Amino acid sequence: MSELEKVIAEQEIKYLTLLSGKFKNIGETATEIINLQAILNLPKGTEHFLSDIHGEYEAFNHVLKNGSGAVRQKIDEVFGDELNIFEKKELATVIYYPKEKIEWLAKDLKNMDKWYKTIIYRLIEICSVVSSKYTSSKVRKAMPKDFSYIIQEIIYERKELLNKKEYIANIIDTIISIGRAKEFVMAISNLIQRLIIDRLHIVGDIYDRGPSPHLIMDTLMNYHDVDIQWGNHDILWMGAGLGSKGCIANVIRICARYGNNDILEDAYGINLLPLATFAMENYGNDPCEYFQSRDGKSTPLKAQIHKAITIIQMKIEGNIIERNPDFNMEHRNMFRKIDLDRGVITLNGKEYELRDKNFPTVDKNNPLKLTREESEIMENLRLAFLRSEKLQRHIRFLFAKGSLYLKCNSNLLYHGCIPLTADGQLKDIYIRGEYLKGKAALDRAEKLCREAYFNRANSADSPEDKVKADFVWYMWCGKDSPLFGKDDMKTFERYFIEDKETHVENKNPYYKFCNQEETCDMILKEFKLNPKISHIINGHVPVKEKKGESPIKANGKLYIIDGGFSKAYQPETGLAGYTLIFNSYGMKLVSHAPFESAEKSIKEGKDIISSSRIVDVSQNRIRVKDTDIGKELQNQVNDLKKLLNAYRKGLIKNSEN
């Protein structure tokens, strides 16, 4: 044996000796090998992919509860024609909203005990089926503590035996007679929801447009297994959370645009009163015609706040652009291009008249300088964002569970794009002193975003902090940002210029080439995935189904699952979002009609009308051993077999019980 082989052997013995501290003898080691081998042959858990939720909590929550139709599918599989349509709807609604459904029924239903008995038996059947693909240990851990023992007894007993039937019937009768039926129905319904979906993937854009992103974040923080691929709207809030004034101004402007100031004031405790006072003083006589909120509930004050923060944003962004020449965004320094005396702006050599010429806080000699009041307002807002405990908790969660991209079970997930050149090749991007492309560019960008948040100085907004925060702002709207995916963000033009040609934002060539298999294969190889079996799952760009656009690109290599959760986009897309289900049989794409309300679901059994299509069928049922976790478990089995061999050879002492 060579010296190198001796060193390797010694290191392996050291490792196995450490492992023997957990598995102390042949019996324990063999038992764990048997257990892991059994797990490897179970069907893989169901993965659920959602994208571009944009604050629409009610629709999101319902899709989460119904597993994009997975719950109703299980009901059909288990009961077939045994139940009619009404009974199936009722059972589904109980699983989605057990507490609310029971409370609504209890108002008029005379014999609740009879209803409880019927519904509990049906829930037990569903729970037995959905738990069958997991180990009893995993199911046990998912069970609510109050009913853990009872549920175990019910779902694992052999119900076909006469004495066991009586045993289970007695348990159910007792639950009802002692007044615990409501709590039991809630417990087993929540367990079914938990077991229907094994892992949730959010492919970006939780924030902006809709009214309740904070409720979505609260739900995700309590979800059993979730990952997030950051979207451009998420990174904007993350930048605001680290104190970037450019990001803060954008966040407030978008909330004002969609009539969602309550998110800031009520959910996150951000005081907008100083901004409101400033807006009234400076824009009180301004109709702010182009700053009405899009919720149809605009008021003069809301419009004034909207315009005030927009002007502040333009100034701040001009300063960011000037102190970061490597961003190559000087052409977006809009206030340097305005002739305030004439009310015109020159873009690309062409002069345009401004449709709003009232800029009371802009100094024509120094247009990027914030007034004293604007500076004080922005500094106070910066501190408010930094001190908002709930916001910071949500931002930390986005960093803990999120990333720019994810490789999972042969799928590549990202929100925006992989920047490409005009001829469809990976584009070199200049990032803080070096040119990078593809995976390396995304890795570097993510590292800088994390450093910006976690390496902040404890004192005031230092120059170093500003530079770090500026990069996060760039990720929101920069030309080569993989999250933005366009050449320019035409915010100024949309507000101030009538000519819609100036509003056009050109997409990165990625969106031209992503429909080609060769491009998707190139990207998958760049991320070290096998193009023959792998897929790209993408969000960000709404799929306009009513215009004939398909979410399936490149002959099934890429799925774009932004179909319009956001109500603002639904007239354009013609639907209310796509979701993707990946279970042990393959992939299924689900399209959803707009969600009416949880109340209608509870009272009338109204579900989201969904249609699904199988997009990738596995020839053989996918097992845990075929997944990323399976590979890790197989490595553990291999190590345990080495430990077992070491015990048998006497290389490691076998500690008997």
Side-chain angles (χ1 to χ4, degrees):
M1 184 183 290
S2 69
E3 286 300 315
L4 179 60
E5 288 172 326
K6 286 180 182 178
V7 170
I8 292 171
E10 287 173 5
Q11 288 176 341
E12 188 166 277
I13 289 295
K14 283 182 181 179
Y15 168 68
L16 294 176
T17 302
L18 288 172
L19 192 59
S20 70
K22 187 174 182 181
F23 304 99
K24 296 182 173 60
N25 51 54
I26 288 174
E28 289 183 8
T29 307
T31 298
E32 184 64 8
I33 291 171
I34 294 166
N35 178 47
L36 292 177
Q37 284 287 175
I39 292 171
L40 285 168
N41 285 285
L42 286 170
K44 80 174 281 295
T46 299
E47 297 172 72
H48 195 189
F49 302 79
L50 284 76
S51 169
D52 297 84
I53 305 158
H54 285 301
E56 299 293 349
Y57 170 72
E58 269 214 337
F60 159 78
N61 193 44
H62 189 81
V63 168
L64 208 60
K65 287 177 178 294
N66 78 0
S68 284
V71 169
R72 185 57 191 268
Q73 184 181 342
K74 285 296 175 191
I75 291 171
D76 288 336
E77 288 174 8
V78 172
F79 293 105
D81 296 330
E82 186 182 334
L83 301 182
N84 60 38
I85 292 173
F86 172 80
E87 290 169 325
K88 287 179 179 179
K89 279 185 178 181
E90 181 181 65
L91 180 55
T93 306
V94 169
I95 294 170
Y96 307 155
Y97 305 102
K99 179 176 180 290
E100 295 83 354
K101 184 68 174 180
I102 290 168
E103 289 174 353
W104 184 74
L105 284 171
K107 294 175 185 177
D108 300 310
L109 198 61
K110 292 179 180 178
N111 194 343
M112 278 298 291
D113 286 357
K114 183 180 179 182
W115 181 86
Y116 275 132
K117 192 165 188 174
T118 301
I119 212 73
I120 287 172
Y121 271 109
R122 290 171 182 171
L123 290 170
I124 289 167
E125 290 300 315
I126 297 292
C127 194
S128 297
V129 171
V130 298
S131 63
S132 63
K133 69 192 294 185
Y134 302 108
T135 63
S136 57
S137 171
K138 183 166 184 173
V139 176
R140 207 163 39 243
K141 289 173 185 174
M143 289 177 182
K145 290 181 181 178
D146 285 357
F147 293 101
S148 177
Y149 173 74
I150 294 170
I151 294 174
Q152 284 181 72
E153 290 294 290
I154 288 174
I155 67 175
Y156 290 126
E157 285 293 351
R158 294 183 62 190
K159 305 174 191 65
E160 71 275 10
L161 300 176
L162 181 61
N163 59 336
K164 292 300 181 183
K165 279 185 179 180
E166 293 175 355
Y167 172 65
I168 292 169
N170 188 261
I171 289 175
I172 293 169
D173 288 342
T174 304
I175 289 169
I176 295 169
S177 67
I178 65 172
R180 292 286 285 168
K182 177 182 176 181
E183 290 75 15
F184 182 78
V185 169
M186 289 167 58
I188 198 166
S189 295
N190 290 331
L191 178 61
I192 291 167
Q193 285 186 40
R194 162 66 181 82
L195 297 175
I196 283 280
I197 301 298
D198 194 43
R199 184 170 180 179
L200 176 65
H201 305 284
I202 304 295
V203 194
D205 276 0
I206 295 163
Y207 280 91
D208 288 334
R209 299 197 185 101
S212 306
H214 54 292
L215 298 181
I216 296 169
M217 289 300 299
D218 287 341
T219 301
L220 293 176
M221 289 180 74
N222 290 310
Y223 202 77
H224 56 271
D225 193 357
V226 62
D227 55 71
I228 300 164
Q229 292 71 60
W230 301 328
N232 53 319
H233 288 271
D234 304 321
I235 206 73
L236 180 65
W237 280 77
M238 292 159 75
L242 68 84
S244 162
K245 291 177 181 176
C247 292
I248 288 169
N250 271 280
V251 160
I252 297 171
R253 178 186 61 79
I254 293 170
C255 283
R257 181 174 175 79
Y258 288 90
N260 289 329
N261 289 346
D262 289 351
I263 297 171
L264 296 167
E265 295 180 302
D266 298 340
Y268 289 130
I270 308 294
N271 183 10
L272 296 182
L273 184 58
L275 176 62
T277 303
F278 170 82
M280 284 190 292
E281 290 173 353
N282 287 275
Y283 301 95
N285 297 320
D286 188 330
C288 299
E289 180 183 353
Y290 303 104
F291 295 88
Q292 307 298 310
S293 59
R294 295 186 65 175
D295 63 349
K297 300 176 183 177
S298 196
T299 65
L301 178 57
K302 286 182 180 179
Q304 290 157 13
I305 292 172
H306 189 180
K307 182 170 181 180
I309 196 63
T310 301
I311 301 302
I312 291 172
Q313 175 190 317
M314 298 300 165
K315 292 182 181 183
I316 292 171
E317 290 184 335
N319 284 301
I320 292 174
I321 290 165
E322 290 192 352
R323 66 174 174 258
N324 293 277
D326 57 319
F327 288 171
N328 291 318
M329 292 180 69
E330 184 53 40
H331 63 291
R332 299 304 306 158
N333 197 347
M334 306 307 283
F335 276 5
R336 293 287 191 201
K337 303 177 185 301
I338 294 176
D339 184 331
L340 287 172
D341 293 328
R342 295 172 55 225
V344 297
I345 187 169
T346 303
L347 301 175
N348 300 318
K350 186 176 178 180
E351 194 171 88
Y352 297 91
E353 184 178 0
L354 299 175
R355 61 183 183 182
D356 184 333
K357 301 180 177 66
N358 185 34
F359 298 96
T361 67
V362 179
D363 180 351
K364 67 179 181 180
N365 296 316
N366 193 358
L368 301 185
K369 183 180 179 181
L370 295 174
T371 65
R372 180 180 58 80
E373 293 88 350
E374 288 173 328
S375 293
E376 289 176 358
I377 287 166
M378 287 310 300
E379 180 58 20
N380 288 332
L381 284 168
R382 185 183 76 87
L383 294 173
F385 273 76
L386 290 173
R387 292 168 181 170
S388 170
E389 191 276 333
K390 184 168 187 173
L391 176 64
Q392 292 300 324
R393 190 166 69 245
H394 287 170
I395 299 306
R396 287 194 298 271
F397 182 77
L398 284 170
F399 276 107
K401 292 291 184 178
S403 55
L404 279 180
Y405 69 90
L406 177 71
K407 296 192 294 179
C408 182
N409 296 333
S410 297
N411 292 314
L412 176 61
L413 287 63
Y414 51 80
H415 177 73
C417 70
I418 306 301
L420 301 180
T421 61
D423 59 354
Q425 300 304 305
L426 296 172
K427 183 177 182 180
D428 278 308
I429 301 169
Y430 189 76
I431 303 177
R432 294 302 189 212
E434 57 184 329
Y435 282 97
L436 299 165
K437 61 185 176 182
K439 180 179 181 297
L442 267 65
D443 288 339
R444 176 70 173 139
E446 181 175 326
K447 183 173 183 288
L448 287 172
C449 290
R450 292 186 184 280
E451 287 176 357
Y453 186 78
F454 291 106
N455 296 346
R456 289 170 296 167
N458 293 323
S459 58
D461 195 11
S462 68
E464 184 183 358
D465 284 340
K466 280 184 179 179
V467 170
K468 291 176 182 175
D470 288 349
F471 182 78
V472 181
W473 170 84
Y474 177 85
M475 290 292 284
W476 152 247
C477 62
K479 178 180 179 180
D480 289 325
S481 165
L483 296 180
F484 179 46
K486 297 178 184 178
D487 58 353
D488 293 312
M489 186 175 285
K490 301 291 185 71
T491 305
F492 180 92
E493 289 89 334
R494 286 193 295 270
Y495 282 114
F496 294 102
I497 302 176
E498 195 72 48
D499 189 343
K500 290 190 176 180
E501 284 189 7
T502 66
H503 303 182
V504 175
E505 298 171 344
N506 298 307
K507 295 177 184 175
N508 184 274
Y510 168 86
Y511 294 100
K512 172 186 173 184
F513 289 100
C514 69
N515 205 25
Q516 299 178 9
E517 286 188 63
E518 297 81 4
T519 300
C520 292
D521 288 349
M522 174 186 70
I523 291 170
L524 289 166
K525 287 176 184 176
E526 169 68 12
F527 286 83
K528 295 181 170 50
L529 287 169
N530 182 356
K532 292 181 179 179
I533 59 171
S534 300
H535 305 87
I536 296 170
I537 299 168
N538 203 172
H540 190 48
V541 178
V543 178
K544 298 170 185 175
E545 187 177 78
K546 73 177 189 178
K547 292 185 178 179
E549 187 177 356
S550 172
I552 305 169
K553 309 288 184 183
N555 198 25
K557 289 285 177 77
L558 182 148
Y559 306 118
I560 294 181
I561 59 169
D562 177 8
F565 257 107
S566 172
K567 289 180 181 177
Y569 276 152
Q570 287 172 12
E572 189 177 349
T573 61
L575 45 78
Y578 289 102
T579 54
L580 192 68
I581 292 289
F582 181 26
N583 60 25
S584 58
Y585 296 102
M587 283 187 164
K588 181 169 64 175
L589 190 69
V590 185
S591 60
H592 304 280
F595 181 55
E596 292 192 46
S597 69
E599 184 181 7
K600 283 208 168 187
S601 180
I602 294 157
K603 292 182 179 179
E604 302 172 23
K606 283 208 168 186
D607 209 338
I608 288 181
I609 299 171
S610 305
S611 60
S612 60
R613 49 184 140 167
I614 306 299
V615 291
D616 188 42
V617 180
S618 177
Q619 291 183 344
N620 299 305
R621 197 170 187 190
I622 305 168
R623 305 285 172 178
V624 171
K625 63 185 177 184
D626 304 311
T627 67
D628 294 343
I629 289 176
K631 293 179 178 67
E632 294 174 16
L633 293 179
Q634 186 59 60
N635 288 334
Q636 292 178 35
V637 168
N638 296 339
D639 291 343
L640 287 166
K641 285 181 176 178
K642 289 178 183 177
L643 177 61
L644 189 62
N645 191 43
Y647 277 139
R648 287 172 172 162
K649 287 184 175 180
L651 298 173
I652 295 175
K653 186 178 178 181
N654 183 49
S655 301
E656 297 297 339
N657 290 331

